[in-house]
Amino acid sequence: AFFWLVSLLLSSLIWFIAVKASDPQDEPLQKGLLIFGVMFSVLLQEVFRFLYYKLLRKAIEGLVALSEDGCSPISIQQMAYVAGVGFGLMSGAFSMINLLADSLGPGTVGIHGDSQLYFLTSAFMTMVLIFLHTFWGILFFHGCEYRRWWEITAVVVMHLAVSGSTFCNPLYVGSLVPSYLLMAAAAAWAYLLSGGSAQNLRRFLLCKS
Amino acid sequence: MITFMNNSDSEEEPCNERTSLMSAESPPVPSYQDGLQASQAGEVQAHRKRRTGSSRSPNNIADGDMSDSGVPVRESTLENEEEELTLKYGAKHVIMLFVPVTLCMIVVVATIKSVRFYTEKNGQLIYTPFSEDTPSVGQRLLNSVLNTIIMISVIVVMTVFLVLLYKYRCYKFIHGWLILSSLMLLFLFTYIYLGEVLKTYNVAMDYPTLFLIIWNFGAVGMICIHWKGPLQLQQAYLIMISALMALVFIKYLPEWSAWVILGAISIYDLMAVLCPKGPLRMLVETAQERNEPIFPALIYSSAMMWTVGMAKPDTAAGGPSQQTWDAAEDGRENNRSPSHADSQMLETRSPAPTRPITSFEELEEEERGVKLGLGDFIFYSVLVGKAAATASGDWNTTLACFVAILIGLCLTLLLLAVFKKALPALPISITFGLVFYFSTDNLVRPFMDTLASHQLYI
């Protein structure tokens, strides 16, 4: 969570500087700057995820050296999951919490001609992002562990795609649907990487031992 | 400028002194682990991963070293087991510290956001006499710096006074002083707080009921904090009085002064604990020399100490254990005002006074608590509360400060593992908190607002 926060800080710093340095009246330019800010932020988040991976790697080495039987009490997969959840929670909290606070107060949604489904779609989008961050955490760490660069690039590309799809808002079908599809794909992929299989799933669902 | 009423001022004094003392003596006290020696360096890596409080144990190393001289040599096998235990308990101890700090902050933020009273400007304390209603920025800055200087000097004077009292063994005076200030906190501030909450929610309450509630609350609090009581109740009371104190600070400190004071007090904390002639360090050392525990009312303790001292001191295992345990206790305490007797300290901690401790190993394997000075709670909550109160109604800033403070706490515990001695808990957390507050408020907020208005997601 902290790492995500720091990445957010740095990216907003860049954006802020860019905005201050540019002409506030120029609408397309501002929009362009915003898009640039978003993409830069996505890249920075992934960079910080990588840095976090490096930190955790070192920590695991220390733990292994310390423990008696040569294996660490917490595996890298668990750490990947936790890292993903941390990122997701932080990004979700930052996206949603002001909305939630405002929703407690009086007002009408979309009274100025904006979409009336604003809160609903924000909620769904946030949820899908949190899940995605969790899965991306697992995929990313797995890729880093086994040096599969294509996994890492896939995660980055997915993140960029999801953020980019939100540019279609308020045409929600353009952003929510692809995001959910991507989430399903990432979920399946992460599940397979974590050692699951169709058999396991069937056994779990049918409550066999 | 209306100053706070005079009688309250004098009552404020012991409170302020106490809190400042606590904040200054903020080294989070680690759990005591016997025999934990050289593996700390390796543990640092582990700690970074889990941000566990196993780093904590190194602080006890100092105590352990001291006590070692008086204690029979331990077997090395014990040490290995100790490491494992440290790791396992270390994470638990970090969580044990996270939960109360989080609770305190939640109480403060919830109150700030809902009860209007604590964000209204209704005068200032006499410790911050300069007003901030000046027309120019420079003047305002100057006033806030002057306020800070006055506040910090008050705190320094009080701390030195307390150290002198302790050195010259005026225990009764300190005792009485602390009782007086906790009395005031538990009764007067609770009364005000309850009154304001009831006003906000428009709930009618008659005076007899109010009197009954406050009397019970206060009396049980006094007993729990200064004498014996269930651990969780004592923890809850300590959290509540920290939150009350933080709310008072948030209300009565003018804005810029508050930020400058937060910064200055973390610097003071750093110096007071680490400089050789720092008052807090002298307190620590004196307490360790005399083998006395610190007054329990000013430290938050997160776990029971199975007191060996309560066992018959003439048992073979009990004897040396008690010695080490006491030494550990001393090293652990932040506040150096000594309680009147070791037994009192032990009594406060032990849940089962007659539990016989038979073996030394048993002692080591039991839960060691973590202790953190109440001043730390207060200043963390002041930071988060101020962020909630003044950050343009933005929750992101509050959340960012919260995360920053917790991470700072983790890092402090980590450093404890590296340096193995008493460390101030304020500087790192407050620095992170301040950095994140100002940057989130000014940089992240416009970015997030723009994103939210276009419904873009990053």
Side-chain angles (χ1 to χ4, degrees):
Chain A
F2 182 66
F3 274 69
W4 186 88
L5 206 57
V6 176
S7 83
L8 178 66
L9 201 77
L10 290 176
S11 47
S12 43
L13 176 68
I14 304 284
W15 178 81
F16 191 75
I17 294 175
V19 163
K20 285 298 180 204
S22 68
D23 175 20
Q25 298 303 346
D26 192 358
E27 266 296 325
L29 179 63
Q30 291 297 317
K31 190 90 198 254
L33 273 182
L34 198 61
I35 295 180
F36 160 72
V38 168
M39 293 300 157
F40 185 75
S41 174
V42 166
L43 291 173
L44 210 60
Q45 278 179 46
E46 298 303 327
V47 166
F48 270 84
R49 211 197 291 271
F50 182 68
L51 289 176
Y52 194 52
Y53 165 75
K54 280 258 170 265
L55 187 71
L56 290 183
R57 201 89 200 77
K58 282 226 184 90
I60 273 205
E61 281 162 20
L63 262 188
V64 166
L66 199 59
S67 73
E68 287 186 338
D69 50 0
C71 62
S72 92
I74 180 169
S75 73
I76 189 82
Q77 283 105 337
Q78 285 172 314
M79 284 206 263
Y81 176 69
V82 169
V85 169
F87 264 56
L89 278 179
M90 210 53 199
S91 98
F94 260 65
S95 314
M96 256 333 253
I97 202 158
N98 277 330
L99 279 176
L100 287 172
D102 285 337
S103 72
L104 283 177
T108 312
V109 187
I111 197 169
H112 286 294
D114 301 310
S115 160
Q116 287 187 322
L117 299 171
Y118 185 76
F119 281 145
L120 217 52
T121 49
S122 299
F124 278 114
M125 196 67 208
T126 311
M127 183 176 84
V128 82
L129 253 190
I130 296 179
F131 277 133
L132 275 174
H133 268 294
T134 315
F135 300 134
W136 286 334
I138 300 177
L139 294 173
F140 195 89
F141 277 44
H142 186 264
C144 288
E145 273 289 304
Y146 297 107
R147 298 269 179 273
R148 295 204 195 137
W149 305 117
W150 61 277
E151 276 183 17
I152 299 176
T153 44
V155 168
V156 177
V157 164
M158 259 199 276
H159 197 167
L160 283 172
V162 169
S163 283
S165 72
T166 59
F167 287 127
C168 297
N169 284 340
L171 184 66
Y172 293 121
V173 71
S175 69
L176 279 178
V177 171
S179 309
Y180 272 91
L181 290 174
L182 276 176
M183 183 190 86
W189 193 1
Y191 182 67
L192 288 171
L193 280 184
S194 312
S197 66
Q199 258 190 341
N200 275 347
L201 198 59
R202 209 180 309 134
R203 242 183 276 151
F204 168 72
L205 287 174
L206 298 178
C207 297
K208 287 201 198 126
S209 66
Chain B
M1 173 179 75
I2 316 165
T3 55
F4 205 43
M5 282 163 47
N6 275 343
N7 53 352
S8 307
D9 280 338
S10 54
E11 289 163 320
E12 282 275 315
E13 239 175 280
C15 229
N16 282 342
E17 184 281 327
R18 192 178 78 181
T19 59
S20 62
L21 187 59
M22 284 185 278
S23 70
E25 303 169 53
S26 48
V29 182
S31 61
Y32 173 72
Q33 286 280 358
D34 294 343
L36 214 47
Q37 306 291 344
S39 53
Q40 297 309 315
E43 281 177 357
V44 170
Q45 305 284 4
H47 302 161
R48 264 204 275 153
K49 170 197 72 123
R50 272 203 251 159
R51 292 136 196 208
T52 62
S54 13
S55 48
R56 212 180 296 277
S57 31
N59 190 13
N60 286 326
I61 294 300
D63 313 325
D65 284 338
M66 260 188 51
S67 53
D68 272 343
S69 51
V71 164
V73 174
R74 265 156 281 222
E75 305 87 359
S76 57
T77 51
L78 209 55
E79 286 183 23
N80 283 338
E81 290 167 12
E82 288 296 329
E83 293 163 18
E84 282 292 307
L85 283 172
T86 316
L87 279 184
K88 281 189 217 147
Y89 289 136
K92 227 190 226 176
H93 292 153
V94 174
I95 304 296
M96 277 195 231
L97 269 191
F98 269 19
V99 171
V101 171
T102 312
L103 274 178
C104 193
M105 287 194 216
I106 287 179
V107 169
V108 170
V109 170
T111 311
I112 293 274
K113 287 285 184 187
S114 54
V115 177
R116 201 55 61 82
F117 173 72
Y118 287 103
T119 40
E120 289 162 5
K121 288 281 319 162
N122 247 346
Q124 298 181 198
L125 301 170
I126 55 160
Y127 304 114
T128 52
F130 293 96
S131 160
E132 284 195 6
D133 279 332
T134 56
S136 76
V137 171
Q139 180 78 2
R140 187 171 186 183
L141 196 63
L142 181 71
N143 279 353
S144 52
V145 170
L146 289 173
N147 277 342
T148 311
I149 292 177
I150 294 177
M151 187 84 163
I152 299 285
S153 39
V154 165
I155 289 175
V156 170
V157 163
M158 295 293 194
T159 313
V160 170
F161 185 48
L162 198 75
V163 173
L164 286 175
L165 281 179
Y166 183 61
K167 258 188 137 63
Y168 294 112
R169 300 178 188 265
C170 310
Y171 296 154
K172 283 207 186 293
F173 189 87
I174 298 179
H175 212 81
W177 188 0
L178 288 174
I179 287 189
L180 198 66
S181 48
S182 49
L183 255 176
M184 185 193 70
L185 259 182
L186 278 174
F187 287 102
L188 179 69
F189 284 169
T190 313
Y191 172 68
I192 295 176
Y193 178 75
L194 207 57
E196 291 305 322
V197 168
L198 290 174
K199 265 189 231 168
T200 308
Y201 291 108
N202 212 10
V203 173
M205 185 177 274
D206 51 320
Y207 273 114
T209 315
L210 189 70
F211 174 70
L212 200 67
I213 291 177
I214 294 200
W215 169 249
N216 279 321
F217 181 81
V220 176
M222 287 304 287
I223 294 176
C224 261
I225 296 175
H226 293 275
W227 195 49
K228 305 183 206 194
L231 181 72
Q232 297 202 314
L233 199 58
Q234 184 188 38
Q235 292 174 341
Y237 268 106
L238 289 175
I239 292 177
M240 278 191 271
I241 64 176
S242 309
L244 282 174
M245 198 64 213
L247 284 170
V248 166
F249 274 138
I250 293 175
K251 180 171 172 61
Y252 287 110
L253 285 181
E255 288 203 18
W256 289 21
S257 305
W259 298 115
V260 183
I261 285 178
L262 274 175
I265 208 161
S266 34
I267 298 177
Y268 165 69
D269 197 21
L270 197 66
M271 291 193 327
V273 175
L274 295 180
C275 290
K277 277 301 172 190
L280 297 174
R281 185 149 168 181
M282 282 172 33
L283 256 184
V284 176
E285 285 164 4
T286 321
Q288 280 179 346
E289 279 166 31
R290 294 185 194 168
N291 260 350
E292 278 168 358
I294 304 299
F295 197 73
L298 304 176
I299 309 268
Y300 175 89
S301 153
S302 61
M304 302 285 202
M305 296 300 165
W306 302 113
T307 75
V308 179
M310 291 313 289
K312 318 275 179 292
D314 46 9
T315 58
S321 311
Q322 178 173 21
Q323 187 183 4
T324 53
W325 191 74
D326 284 348
E329 274 273 284
D330 300 335
R332 224 194 323 256
E333 314 295 341
N334 301 340
N335 256 313
R336 298 312 173 192
S337 57
S339 70
H340 209 79
D342 286 354
S343 55
Q344 182 195 12
M345 182 66 209
L346 302 177
E347 278 166 5
T348 322
R349 296 287 169 259
S350 75
T354 55
R355 185 178 192 280
I357 307 291
T358 48
S359 74
F360 203 44
E361 287 78 22
E362 221 178 292
L363 175 65
E364 289 157 4
E365 282 185 29
E366 279 150 6
E367 280 294 327
R368 299 297 170 167
V370 172
K371 293 187 187 181
L372 188 62
L374 283 193
D376 295 331
F377 279 89
I378 292 177
F379 283 107
Y380 292 162
S381 309
V382 166
L383 196 146
V384 176
K386 268 279 184 220
T390 64
S392 335
D394 195 28
W395 282 88
N396 283 343
T397 319
T398 315
L399 199 58
C401 289
F402 169 69
V403 172
I405 288 181
L406 285 185
I407 296 291
L409 194 60
C410 284
L411 278 178
T412 311
L413 296 174
L414 199 69
L415 280 183
L416 214 50
V418 175
F419 287 111
K420 302 182 179 46
K421 60 175 185 171
L423 283 184
L426 275 185
I428 300 182
S429 289
I430 299 280
T431 316
F432 274 9
L434 286 176
V435 163
F436 269 81
Y437 170 74
F438 286 112
S439 50
T440 313
D441 200 27
N442 297 319
L443 297 175
V444 176
R445 194 174 42 88
F447 188 44
M448 291 305 286
D449 285 343
T450 326
L451 286 182
S453 64
H454 293 276
Q455 222 175 1
L456 300 176
Y457 282 86
I458 54 165

